[in-house]
Amino acid sequence: MRAVIVQEPRRRSALRMRLGTAFFCLRRRLRWHTGGLRFARLRPEAECPCLWAEHSTPLLRQLRGEEMALQRNKVTNLRLALSRLDGLTLAPGETLSFWRAVGKPTRRKGYVEGMLLRNGRVAAGIGGGLCQMTNLLYWMTLHTPLTVTERWRHGYDVFPDSGRTQPFGSGATCFYNYMDLMVRNDTEHTWRLTLRLTETHLEGEWRAGAPCDRRYEVYEKEHYIQGEYWGGFTRHNTLYRRTFDLEGTLLGDDFLIENHAIMMYDPMLPGNSPESLPAS
C-alpha cells in the first residue's frame, strides 16, 4: 500500500508535465500560423555582403566520462540544426524563430542524445546541446540593430568562469518549442545569417545589405553572488549595451536583460570565483 501512495503523485506529476508541454507547444504553433508574423526564409539572390557581427564558440569542453560522449553527440545535433538555419535571410519586418526554422529534433531526423539540464542535473536527451546555437545567435544579434523579441535566460550557471570571454548571462536557452529565440528585422535592410562548423568551433555571422555604421559594447552591472538558505549559491547581474558611431561618439546606453541563476559549482573553491568582464 505504501508503494502505491508514493508512486501515484509521481504519475500525476508526470501527466501534468506532459499535458502542460503539449498545451504550450500547441499555443506556440497557433502563434506561428495566426500571429501575423512574416518569417525568415532562404533568398539566394539577396545581396548581403557587409559583415556586422561574427562570433565562434568551442564545440567541446573537457568534461568527464558520459558527459564527454554527450558533448560529441551534440556536434551531430548542431550540424542538423545548422542545415536549417544557414543562409536564412531577414527582409524588413520579418522574424527569425529558431524553433520554427529548425523544427522538432527527433530520432527520425537524425538527432541523437546530447547533454541537457533537467532541474539542475546533467541528463541525456534527443537534440541536447542546441542551446549552443541559440547562445551564439543571441550574442551576435546583440551586436547588430536587429531586435530580440523573445529570449529565455539560463536558470543554471553550469561552469566556472575559466576561459569565459562573455559576461555571465549573455546566452539564450531553448526548449522545443515554447522556449524560443526570436529576432525581428526593424531596419530597412535585408540581413543574412551565416553558420558553419569547423573541427573545433561553431562559427556564425550576421551580414547585411548596408555597411556597418556603428559599434556595440555589451557589459554587465550589479553582479553579485548570494548564499541561499538551502546551502547553495545563486548568481545575478544585469546586462547593458552601449552603441557608438564609427567615430566613437556614444549614441546610446541601454538596459538589455536581468539574469538570475542557480550555481552548479562552489564559488568558494580556488579557481571558481567568478569575475566581471569588461565590455565586449
Side-chain angles (χ1 to χ4, degrees):
M1 178 66 70
R2 183 175 300 173
V4 174
I5 293 173
V6 171
Q7 291 175 5
E8 188 62 26
R10 292 179 181 175
R11 294 195 189 102
R12 292 178 180 176
S13 177
L15 178 60
R16 283 196 297 267
M17 289 184 64
R18 288 196 295 269
L19 291 176
T21 298
F23 169 77
F24 286 114
C25 286
L26 177 60
R27 188 171 70 173
R28 174 70 67 177
R29 289 181 178 276
L30 289 174
R31 182 184 177 190
W32 285 342
H33 293 289
T34 64
L37 299 176
R38 294 186 293 114
F39 290 101
R41 58 187 179 90
L42 291 172
R43 295 182 179 87
E45 74 284 358
E47 295 186 4
C48 301
C50 303
L51 177 65
W52 276 71
E54 60 182 338
H55 191 55
S56 66
T57 55
L59 293 174
L60 302 177
R61 287 176 175 266
Q62 290 304 314
L63 301 178
R64 297 174 297 177
E66 181 182 352
E67 293 178 359
M68 202 68 211
L70 293 176
Q71 279 200 98
R72 288 191 286 268
N73 285 354
K74 173 192 67 176
V75 178
T76 297
N77 296 334
L78 288 172
R79 184 173 287 109
L80 290 169
L82 183 149
S83 69
R84 304 295 300 270
L85 292 164
D86 179 41
L88 285 179
T89 60
L90 275 173
E94 289 185 341
T95 293
L96 170 62
S97 162
F98 176 79
W99 282 125
R100 188 179 187 276
V102 171
K104 186 175 183 178
T106 63
R107 289 187 186 275
R108 180 179 295 180
K109 296 177 182 178
Y111 286 92
V112 294
E113 289 191 335
M115 191 165 66
L116 299 173
L117 286 179
R118 289 198 180 104
N119 298 320
R121 296 182 179 180
V122 173
I126 299 300
L130 291 184
C131 62
Q132 182 169 349
M133 186 73 77
T134 51
N135 288 341
L136 179 95
L137 179 55
Y138 179 67
W139 179 251
M140 289 197 305
T141 302
L142 294 182
H143 293 79
T144 73
L146 298 172
T147 304
V148 177
T149 59
E150 182 178 342
R151 173 260 185 186
W152 295 80
R153 68 179 182 230
H154 289 278
Y156 296 91
D157 182 21
V158 182
F159 302 110
D161 282 1
S162 176
R164 185 190 289 273
T165 59
Q166 302 166 213
F168 159 69
S170 55
T173 192
C174 61
F175 190 86
Y176 186 84
N177 62 3
Y178 55 88
M179 296 177 69
D180 201 0
L181 176 65
M182 300 182 72
V183 177
R184 187 178 65 227
N185 180 8
D186 291 329
T187 77
E188 59 185 13
H189 308 293
T190 297
W191 294 72
R192 173 175 283 115
L193 175 64
T194 301
L195 297 165
R196 56 189 169 271
L197 278 174
T198 70
E199 291 296 320
T200 58
H201 285 75
L202 171 65
E203 300 178 345
E205 296 176 345
W206 270 122
R207 291 182 171 269
C212 180
D213 62 357
R214 64 197 72 181
R215 179 173 59 86
Y216 299 92
E217 291 183 353
V218 178
Y219 66 99
E220 69 175 3
K221 290 183 179 181
E222 302 163 339
H223 176 259
Y224 64 93
I225 293 171
Q226 180 173 295
E228 300 294 344
Y229 69 92
W230 38 266
F233 295 87
T234 56
R235 190 174 181 180
H236 313 262
N237 76 350
T238 52
L239 294 187
Y240 287 75
R241 181 175 68 174
R242 298 187 187 101
T243 305
F244 301 88
D245 65 19
L246 297 186
E247 285 71 44
T249 302
L250 181 65
L251 303 177
D253 191 353
D254 303 307
F255 168 81
L256 292 174
I257 50 176
E258 183 175 2
N259 293 295
H260 307 280
I262 297 172
M263 301 182 73
M264 294 180 63
Y265 57 94
D266 188 344
M268 306 305 292
L269 293 177
N272 283 358
S273 178
E275 296 180 358
S276 296
L277 293 175
S280 63

